[in-house]
Structures are given as C-alpha cells and as structure tokens.
Amino acid sequence: MRFKIIRTIIAVCALAPAFVLPASGCGTEPSVFPSAAPSPAETDVPSVITKEWDPGELLMADFTLYNVDCGSVSETSFPEGTSRGLCQSVSDQPYGKDPVTEAVWGYREDPSVLREEDSLGEGFTVSKWVIDKETTDPNQTSICYDFQVPEGNYTVTLGFFNPFGVRKIDVDCEGRKRISGEKILRYSTNEKEFDVSVSDGELNLKVYNSAANTFMETPILSYIKIAKEPEYTRELLAAAVEAMSGVNTDDYTSESAEAYLSSLEKAKTYLAKESNKGSASIKLKFKDLRESYKMLTKKYKYDSFRPGEVWTDTEGTPVQAHGGQVQQMEIPDPDTGKTVTKWVWVGEDKTHGYRGGVCAYTSDDLYNWHYEGIIMRNVPSRRSLEKEEYFKSLYAGYTDAQLDDVALALDAERAVIERPKLIYNEKNKQYVLWFHADGPTATSDSNYAAACAGVAVSDTPFGPYRFVGRYRLNTCPPDQEDKHPQSRGMARDMNLFRDTDGTAYIIYSSEENLTLYISKLNDDYTYLATPPEQAVYGKDFIRLFPGAQREAPALFLKDGKYYLMTSGCTGWAPNQARYYMADSVMGEWVSYGDPCIGDEKHTTFDSQSTCIFQDPATGTWIYMGDRWFSDKLNDSRYIWLPISFTDKGEMRIGFVSEWTLK
Ligand code: GAL
C-alpha cells in the first residue's frame, strides 16, 4: 500500500517542472519548521516578486495569487468559476518555478506526506495530503508549502476535508503560530482563515498537529488560497463598481438585491464626490460592495410540483399558506394599477406554530409563488388595537365593544384562525375573507369552544383585512335529528363556493363536526342570506350526512356536476377521503367513496383536503391538501395532485412525486 502511493507521488513529480529550493524555503526557519527538512539549494529565480497587477486584474482574480488544490494531479480539478490565482498555472506542484507564471511555489516533498483521493469530496476536496500511517517520527508529520509573493498583507484560507475521525490542526506561517489546536470535524469541509504580513518575498506555511500521537490524529490538507489584501484606492473602488454593475436584480432574492443595490449606490456616491476621505472609508465601501455582490442569491425557480417537499416562495422562504385556497383573480398590479390575472393562494400562517394570521401569495404559473404578506394579522393585545398604527387606522370608528370582539376573535395568544378562504364581491368591489374563527369562550378553555365562522373585508386583495365579526351559523330544524343539540350553530372546518349565478355558499362542519352544512351567503358575501332564526331549510341551508363526521370540505363544479371532497375528523392525523356528487349545491348529495388510487394506507396520501381547482390553460384539475406535522406545524407540507375523471365523471387521484401541468 505504502509503496504504491509513494510511486504515485514520484509520478506526480515527474510531471512537474524541474525545481530548486530557494534560500527562504520551508526549511530555513528552524524555530518553526522541523530541522529534518532537506537543505535548501540555490535558485536562479528572483527572490521577490516585483510584478504589479492593476486593480481590475486583481479584482477579476478575487485578489487570489494562489489557489492550490492540494495533492491533485488533474488540471481540470478547479471548480467552475474559481480563480486559479495570478501566480499559479497548475493545480499543484512540488516547490519550483511555475511553468507559466514563473513564480516559485509548491509543496515540500516528503516521503511521509502522501496524496490521497476522496470519493466523498467535491471540487477542491477530491484530493488531499495525508501523513503516511507508518510514519513514527513526530518531526515528519507536517505538510509544508512555500509561495513567492510580493511584499504585503495576505489572507490565507486553508481547507480541510475530513472523512476520518475528528482531529486537531496547528498552522505556522511566517514564523508564528496562526492556528492552534483547531478541531477539524469529521465528514465536513472545515475552512480556517488568517491574515499574515510578508516582508521577505515568500510566504511559508506548515500544517501539522502538535498533539498527534497516532496516525489517526495527523494533519490533512485539501486546499490553500492565498489572497492579497487590496490597496484601497479610488481606482480600486471604481474598478469594483464597474465590474459589479449591471446585475439584473430581478433574478435575485429581494433581500440580497437590496443589500447589493445599496452598497453599489454608496460606492458610486463616494466616487462622485471630489473629497477623498481616505483608504479606511474606501475599504468599507469596497468590502460592502464585494460582500453584497458575493451574497447575491438567485431566486429559485420551480418548473414542477413536488408534493410533500418543502415549497419555498420566490424569496426562498417556505410557503406559509396552510388549510388554504388557490384561485385565479383579476387584481390591480401594484406598480401600474392595471388589472392583471394572477393566481392567488391564501392560507394559515404557521410560521410561529399553531396560532397565526392569514398569508397570501401570487403566481403566474402555479409553481412559483410571490409572498404578498400577512393579509390579516392576529392581535397581540386589546391595547395594541388602540396603540399600534396598523390596527388604529384599520379599526378607526369601531366602538369599544366592537374592539373587544376583534381582540377576542383574533387574539394572538388564544384565538385559533384556520382554513381562510377569499371571495371577491363584484357588487361592492370588496374582497371578503372567511375563516374558521375559534378559541376559548367565557365558559370553556378549549381551543375549539367558540366554533364560529369569521369574516373580514378589504378593498384590496392583500389587505389589511378588517375583522367584521364571527358567528355561529344555521341550526338543525326541529323536525330533524340534531347530532349535537347541546351547542347549536357550530361552524368549524370551512370553505366557500360561488355558483355560476353569483350566489355564494359557505360549507362547514357543524354539530360538533358530526354534520356538514351548506349555507347560502347574502349578496355582500359578509353574512348568511337569512339569519338562522328565519332561515328556511332547503332554501337557505342544508345538512349533509348527519353523524358521518366529515370535515375539510372542498366544493367545485365540473361539467354541470357539483363535487364535494371531504376528510374524516382525526385532528392533524390524516385519514381516508370521501367525496360526494350532486346536481345542484342545495341538491341531493350522493357518496362516491374514496377517490384515491393506490393509497394503501387510506390516508389520502397522508394529506387532508383544503381546495380543488382547475387550471384553465391546461384544463388540469388540482387536488390541494395539507400534510400536517403536528409537532412542527410550520413545516407542514402541501400535497398537490392532478385529478382525472372517468367517463362517468368519477374522480380519481393517484400519487405522483413530481408532475407538471400539461
Ligand atoms: C383538523 C382540522 C384542522 C385543524 C385540526 C386541529 O381536523 O381539519 O383544520 O383544526 O383538526 O386538530
């Protein structure tokens, strides 16, 4: 084994150009480097690099003079986009003249330092130096490199990819210990950095482990980057502004784009001024610009649905729109004021867990969602309604009693806001938000004691929505069997449906979730068409499947048939879906059973329905469900699946791990 690896090293050396060690080599600093080092020979290369690079050139190279892929023999080992360094033309070499740049640099050959490949590594971490395990001489457990550099200050970055046990690393450079006993963790790329000043024309580096007793603790080294500290001049800043301008910020997340634009602006403003505050100020501007440019983060673009995977918005933040609804809407473009057609997704904000407000997102393609913000906030305290500007202007004109209602229904500490659904009222040009408004009551501490339907309104699609009220709804007529007579008019899991004639309905679980109800809304869509006391059964509302215990309703109309998808009632745990069909909303609903195919666990593919809608462009019907994670509700996932229909109009849903609209 050992013999074989030594042969590899000899082969590497044979490829490299002839080399000689200069007087200032690794072996000339007895206080730092081992005395067993080979004695340096004379060199015919200049002892100091006098070359000067212009600011633009340095900038393009990211100020990198050397970027060594330790122990590599392959010239293609440089990851795309990395600068090889202005002094370096090959990925690694034994100490000597660089074949192209003529700078003198490289590793000190040592029979106990071996090249090794790493199948787990990537880019600069595929190859590395390790110490031969048969080496017993503690003086021979170091990896030495020397680099010819112009006089100046440098940042040295060392990379250690460690597929072995944890070990510690020491690094000496320019006669001083720079890194002392730092832990190199297992299975990860550890990067260490330090600054050093070089005055003798050569940067000498020694990587070792002073505490190593066994070979498993000896050092490793994957890459070395040596970057020159820039000279902070106006020219440098001007070169940076030129090189880093012209970015199409639309392609990047707004946070990173804003930081970049602000530092670019500051640099430009500085350069436009006559006065020069000096290098410290330039350094600050330059560093800001360079850092924010490097931190520009591309927006992730989806081109498919991946049910159950984390789904992020265009800013890279996981979408928070649980128990939600997606619909196409004509909304005003915030920039131009013109009406545009957008997909709108509203849902529960579970960023902080169980309790939160309502979020909205928009999309052009259903894959990529732009965050529109929290459209209805919950209320931190009764006081905040009169103190916080947001609430003060929203609830201007509310009486004290009304404010009490708002504080109770939207209480951030106690209220439960679930399954929000949005509907646009053409007549009033008003957006109406309905939701399951729950929480404790005067007589019960239960989170689901109120069992009400809540309503909030706004003149704009993305709010802020103003809470109007929360209500118990219709009750079981006296000639029918009420499944929960002790608490009447309950409304929990809910949805909305607007029929072709503009009449809107609320569909919800009532009678302690034992019976579904469908109730007609008034023309404003803000309350029932008829108050419960006067409501007529069959005209104003109907009860569905008393005692069947269905919730999570999603109603839609297709080819003249009305469909109602539902789940059972098992809290956050998924259960078997069941759907019904009817010829009209208030008609006879007939059960068609579970639409899922291949759902062996009978858990609706571990999801619970929340909305079903059609993409008119492709004709695709989409099932939208929630995969709740009760221990970590904010990480709950979205299960969107394509629906197919049989000749008889029966619904079929199969699981696909990735799919597109066709
Ligand atoms: C489910 C319901 C959810 C949520 C949950 C709480 O049955 O569909 O919206 O209320 O219970 O356990």
Side-chain angles (χ1 to χ4, degrees), residues 323 348 350 354 416 418-419 436 448 492-494 513 551-552 567-573 575 608-609 626 628 633:
E348 297 162 28
K350 294 240 178 284
Y354 183 38
V416 174
E418 290 179 337
R419 300 191 173 265
H436 169 195
Y448 292 99
R492 291 211 182 106
D493 276 14
M494 51 84 41
N513 300 347
E551 64 176 7
S567 80
C569 300
T570 51
W572 303 119
N575 54 50
Q608 187 183 27
S609 47
D626 294 287
W628 302 110
L633 280 171

Side-chain angles (χ1 to χ4, degrees), residues 521-542:
L521 297 183
N522 64 11
D523 288 351
D524 296 346
Y525 301 160
T526 52
Y527 188 57
L528 296 174
T530 312
E533 310 78 63
Q534 289 114 46
V536 177
Y537 189 84
K539 176 178 162 283
D540 292 310
F541 74 103
I542 52 169

Side-chain angles (χ1 to χ4, degrees), residues 233-245 259-276 281-290 292:
T233 58
R234 285 182 80 94
E235 290 68 44
L236 174 70
L237 191 60
V241 165
E242 194 185 326
M244 296 174 201
S245 289
Y260 155 77
L261 285 173
S262 137
S263 54
L264 184 68
E265 204 42 51
K266 281 187 192 143
K268 281 184 177 167
T269 314
Y270 180 88
L271 288 169
K273 279 194 205 135
E274 280 294 308
S275 77
N276 190 338
S281 177
I282 294 178
K283 180 175 174 179
L284 208 71
K285 308 254 168 339
F286 174 79
K287 283 198 155 176
D288 271 1
L289 177 57
R290 190 166 165 220
S292 65

